[in-house]
Amino acid sequence: MAFPAFSNFIRTWFPFDNKDIVLTEEAMRIHRSAIVVDGHNDLPYKIRLKGPDAVETLDLMINQPEFHTDIPRMLKGGVGAQFWVAIGWMGKQADGRTGQSICLEEIELIHKITKKYSSVLEMAYSADDIINIRREGKIASLIGIEGGNAIENSLEVLRRFYRLGARYMTLTWGETIDWVDSATDRARHGGLTKFGEKVVLEMNRLGILVDISHVSAEAMRDVLRVSQSPVIASHSSAFALAPTPRNVPDDVLHSIAKNGGIVMVNFYPGFLTRKGAKEDYLFWEYMLKLKTDAGLSEIELNKLLDKFNEEHPVPGCSVERVVDHIDHIVKIAGIDHAGLGSDFDGISYAPDYLKDVSFFPYITQVLLNRGYKEADIHKILGGNFLRVFRMAEEKAPGNL
C-alpha cells in the first residue's frame, strides 16, 4: 500500500534519482499532442555576447553544443512556444550602456532570429497566436523582459516595450531597484513601493504579464495584493523543497492559486535540492560583490561568474527533482497553477535527462510514471500558461 505524503517526504529529504528513465510511446503521444510552453530561455543573451554579427553568422539550424538551445533540438523536444528573454538588468557592466539599451538590442535580436528562421519560428503576441502558429506546425516565439531596470522608472518606456512585443516583465533581477526589492539583494522597500504598484497596474492595463521570479517574498505578496490580473513566476521553483530566496514560499503559492496565476518550474539544480540551494546563496553573494565594481566590463563579469561556477559546482540531480517541484506546487496551489520555465542558456548546469531543450519529453514521462492523467499533463506542459495569458488579455483594455 502506498503512502504518497510519506513518499514525498522521503524524496524531499533523501532525494534519489531514477537512473534509467525510458521514453514510452504513450508518453511521446501525450507530449506531441500538447502545446509545450517554456517560460524562460536566455539564448538571446548568449548570442548577443558573441558580437553584433552573431545572428547572421550563427546557424541555429545545426547543433550548437555550446548552447542548451538550437532549432533541431527544439523540434526534437516538442517545444511549441518559447519565451525568449531580453535582459533588462544589465547596467554598470554594460560598457556605458543602460539596461534599456541592452534590452532593446536583445528584443531586436529576437525579432531577427525569428525572421531568419521563419520556416520554423513565428512571432506570437497572444494566446490565440500561439494556438494558430502551432496549427501551422511552427514554434511560437514570444518576448519576455528580465529586469524592470529597463523601464528606467518610466511607464511610457514600459508601453514602448509592449509595442515592441514584450508580453511579460520580471520586475527585477539580482538587485533591488528604486521600486521593488530583489530576492537576492538587501531589501530597501519592504516589497513594492507605490510607484511599483503603478507599474504592476499599468502592466495589467497593457496585458503584460507580471513576473514575480527574482523578487523578494514580500514583493511577491505585494504584487499579488495589487495585481488585477493573474501573475506568473516565469522561472522559479518551490521554496519548501529548496530553500533559496529565488523560490516561491507556500503562502505565496496559495495566493497565486487565488489570483489564478502560475509557477513555471526552473530546471537549475541550485533551485531544486536543499544542497543546491546552499550553493545558490554563495553565488548571489559573489554576484552582488562583483556588481559593486564599476570597472568590470560585461565580458569580464561573465568570465568571473563562469570561473566561480566551475569552482563551486552545484550538486547534480535529475528530471525527477523538477517533477518533485511540480508535485509540490500541484499539492499546495492545484493542478491549474504549475508550468515549465527552464532557464536554459541562463543556467550553468542542467539536470540529468534534462540537459537541453531536446529533453522536454522526459518531464512528460516522469509525470506519466507518477500517475498524472493526460489532461493534467497537458495543463502542466502549456495549457495552464495559455489560460493565464488569455485571462490577462481579457482583463487588459489594450489602450496605449
Side-chain angles (χ1 to χ4, degrees):
M1 185 174 185
F3 295 91
F6 181 71
S7 297
N8 287 338
F9 170 83
I10 290 294
R11 278 201 298 266
T12 299
W13 289 97
F14 307 100
F16 59 91
D17 289 313
N18 184 344
K19 300 299 183 183
D20 188 22
I21 303 172
V22 178
L23 285 177
T24 63
E25 291 183 8
E26 177 68 359
M28 289 306 299
R29 182 192 65 77
I30 292 170
H31 195 80
R32 285 192 293 264
S33 64
I35 296 180
V36 179
V37 179
D38 179 16
H40 197 96
N41 186 301
D42 283 298
L43 182 64
Y45 175 62
K46 289 287 186 72
I47 292 176
R48 181 177 60 80
L49 290 179
K50 286 188 164 295
D53 300 323
V55 173
E56 287 74 25
T57 59
L58 190 68
D59 187 358
L60 292 177
M61 290 299 289
I62 62 175
N63 183 259
Q64 296 291 338
E66 65 180 300
F67 302 143
H68 291 129
T69 311
D70 52 50
I71 289 173
R73 284 182 289 172
M74 292 181 78
L75 294 171
K76 183 178 179 181
V79 177
Q82 181 65 70
F83 265 99
W84 306 108
V85 173
I87 66 166
W89 49 264
M90 186 58 70
K92 294 176 183 177
Q93 282 77 23
D95 303 319
R97 290 174 293 169
T98 65
Q100 182 182 149
S101 68
I102 296 294
C103 189
L104 288 169
E105 287 181 19
E106 293 196 4
I107 287 173
E108 179 64 16
L109 189 152
I110 293 165
H111 282 290
K112 285 181 177 179
I113 290 172
T114 304
K115 183 177 180 180
K116 179 177 180 180
Y117 304 103
S118 59
S119 63
V120 183
L121 305 175
E122 185 173 334
M123 289 303 307
Y125 306 100
S126 68
D128 282 346
D129 284 349
I130 294 174
I131 292 168
N132 292 333
I133 289 167
R134 288 307 293 153
R135 284 174 180 159
E136 296 172 3
K138 295 184 180 182
I139 299 169
S141 282
L142 298 101
I143 299 171
I145 292 173
E146 185 172 31
N149 270 353
I151 70 168
E152 297 183 356
N153 299 341
S154 168
L155 297 182
E156 181 50 47
V157 173
L158 178 65
R159 296 177 196 118
R160 181 185 183 192
F161 283 133
Y162 176 83
R163 289 192 290 267
L164 290 172
R167 289 300 180 267
Y168 80 64
M169 183 173 77
T170 316
L171 299 184
T172 189
W173 188 68
E175 291 180 288
T176 291
I177 60 176
D178 290 343
W179 46 273
V180 64
D181 289 331
S182 169
T184 50
D185 193 6
R186 182 176 62 86
R188 300 203 316 259
H189 313 299
L192 198 64
T193 69
K194 292 297 182 183
F195 179 74
E197 292 181 2
K198 290 181 180 180
V199 172
V200 168
L201 292 173
E202 183 64 6
M203 291 172 72
N204 290 166
R205 190 186 72 82
L206 292 169
I208 300 177
L209 291 162
V210 181
D211 179 15
I212 60 172
S213 289
H214 282 289
V215 306
S216 70
E218 284 303 315
M220 293 179 188
R221 295 177 185 113
D222 283 348
V223 168
L224 286 158
R225 171 179 54 81
V226 171
S227 182
Q228 298 175 0
S229 295
V231 306
I232 68 170
S234 72
H235 58 307
S236 295
S237 301
F239 184 89
L241 303 190
T244 163
R246 272 289 283 108
N247 284 341
V248 182
D250 280 1
D251 69 292
V252 175
L253 289 177
H254 282 294
S255 297
I256 286 172
K258 293 177 183 177
N259 164 270
I262 184 174
V263 176
M264 308 176 83
V265 173
N266 193 305
F267 298 175
Y268 180 50
F271 303 154
L272 297 175
T273 69
R274 291 181 178 276
K275 289 183 179 180
K278 290 181 180 179
E279 292 295 333
D280 185 54
Y281 274 110
L282 298 176
F283 171 83
W284 288 107
E285 287 178 358
Y286 183 64
M287 164 68 84
L288 290 172
K289 180 181 177 181
L290 291 181
K291 288 183 75 64
T292 62
D293 184 351
L296 278 179
S297 70
E298 185 179 12
I299 298 297
E300 290 168 336
L301 173 69
N302 278 281
K303 286 182 178 178
L304 288 170
L305 291 176
D306 287 344
K307 182 180 178 182
F308 180 89
N309 284 326
E310 289 175 4
E311 295 173 350
H312 301 82
V314 171
C317 64
S318 88
V319 64
E320 299 273 4
R321 304 287 74 77
V322 171
V323 180
D324 287 350
H325 284 259
I326 293 172
D327 283 346
H328 186 81
I329 292 164
V330 169
K331 174 185 173 183
I332 300 299
I335 191 64
D336 295 325
H337 306 287
L340 307 177
S342 71
D343 211 359
F344 277 139
D345 285 305
I347 56 179
S348 47
Y349 310 98
D352 292 339
Y353 290 101
L354 207 48
K355 289 300 185 184
D356 60 47
V357 293
S358 70
F359 284 78
F360 276 103
Y362 283 94
I363 296 174
T364 300
Q365 185 66 63
V366 176
L367 289 168
L368 189 62
N369 292 349
R370 294 194 185 184
Y372 283 83
K373 303 301 182 185
E374 180 172 350
D376 289 339
I377 293 173
H378 280 184
K379 285 184 176 184
I380 293 164
L381 293 180
N384 287 338
F385 175 80
L386 289 171
R387 172 188 57 79
V388 168
F389 199 11
R390 195 179 301 282
M391 288 176 66
E393 293 167 10
E394 291 171 352
K395 289 178 176 289
N399 298 317
L400 287 173

